[in-house]
Amino acid sequence: MHVVIMGCGRLGSTLAHNLDARGHSVAVIDQNADAFRRLGAEFGGITVTGFGFDRDVLRAAGIERADAFAAVSSGDNSNIISARLAHETFGVSRVVARIYDSRRAQVYERLGIPTVATIRWAADRMVRHLVPEGTVEVFRDPTSVVSIVEAPLHRDWVGRPLKVLEERTGARVAYLMRFGMGTLGTPSTVIQDGDQVFMLVTDETVGDVLNIAAGAEKEGN
């Protein structure tokens, strides 16, 4: 893949190194040439000095052959403008923008631009570490809407298919741990004693999902 990154701060440089180490072609844009010092001599990609919403700068970074674009500068406006330009003008299919204002992030998500609302995401993660509520959350998406939680099951669920659990809770099973190994279940997968089940939920549904999972499931209900 060829990936163009706008912004060479701590996030942008870390992202660039990560992708470069994985063998991808990487171009980094920043208006401040001194920012490229963060990349170090071992960085194998290219650097372009300029604004990420300048078409000529984007072309110099290889936007016309890019498979993905990340806008991670410190400015919300610059990030969203460059992300929309990459997506709508140059047809880059995978585009993501870092946005500090969570309200604006929700608007841009509706426009088809995936965003990472850093303040809201970080605040939610902090609260979950500071005030644990007994829910084992293993994943939360960058917009802080969807999460994966462990759903402790009542013993009466043993022997029942995952399809029934999904029907009763109205939630999807993301995966389960069986004998210490992660596995993707199917609707016909039968729950076994000792299984750890992890489900996709939202903040609005997690309470009901966990309550139903922890309750008895009687045959014929």
Side-chain angles (χ1 to χ4, degrees), residues 35-47:
F36 299 132
R37 293 177 182 175
R38 290 189 175 93
L39 297 172
E42 70 276 14
F43 178 63
I46 64 172
T47 58

Side-chain angles (χ1 to χ4, degrees), residues 93-124:
S93 58
R94 295 186 178 123
V95 173
V96 64
R98 175 171 69 175
I99 302 296
Y100 287 93
D101 187 336
S102 60
R103 292 171 299 180
R104 299 172 75 187
Q106 293 173 359
V107 173
Y108 295 130
E109 286 279 354
R110 297 190 189 103
L111 294 175
I113 302 295
T115 61
V116 177
T118 54
I119 300 301
R120 178 179 175 183
W121 184 87
D124 284 343

Side-chain angles (χ1 to χ4, degrees), residues 116-146:
V116 177
T118 54
I119 300 301
R120 178 179 175 183
W121 184 87
D124 284 343
R125 298 299 295 177
M126 285 287 186
V127 168
R128 282 166 174 76
H129 282 291
L130 294 171
V131 190
E133 298 176 345
T135 300
V136 179
E137 181 182 292
V138 297
F139 168 83
R140 178 166 289 262
D141 87 287
T143 63
S144 199
V145 174
V146 178

Side-chain angles (χ1 to χ4, degrees), residues 7 12 27 40 43 48 58 80 117 121 128 142 145 148 160 167 190 204:
F43 178 63
V48 180
L58 288 169
I80 200 60
W121 184 87
R128 282 166 174 76
V145 174
I148 298 177
R160 305 283 282 169
E167 289 174 348
V190 174
E204 290 73 27

Side-chain angles (χ1 to χ4, degrees), residues 159-182:
R160 305 283 282 169
L162 288 180
K163 178 181 180 180
V164 176
L165 177 63
E166 291 182 331
E167 289 174 348
R168 296 290 192 272
T169 60
R172 294 286 300 276
V173 173
Y175 67 97
L176 57 88
M177 295 293 293
R178 177 172 291 174
F179 304 123
M181 296 290 293

Side-chain angles (χ1 to χ4, degrees), residues 2 4 6 27-30 46-65 69 82 85-86 89-90:
H2 178 60
V4 178
M6 187 195 82
V28 183
I29 299 171
D30 201 287
I46 64 172
T47 58
V48 180
T49 303
F51 294 97
F53 46 82
D54 184 310
R55 287 176 171 77
D56 291 334
V57 170
L58 288 169
R59 290 191 180 95
I63 194 68
E64 292 170 320
R65 60 184 176 88
F69 179 84
S82 60
L85 187 61
T89 301
F90 292 100

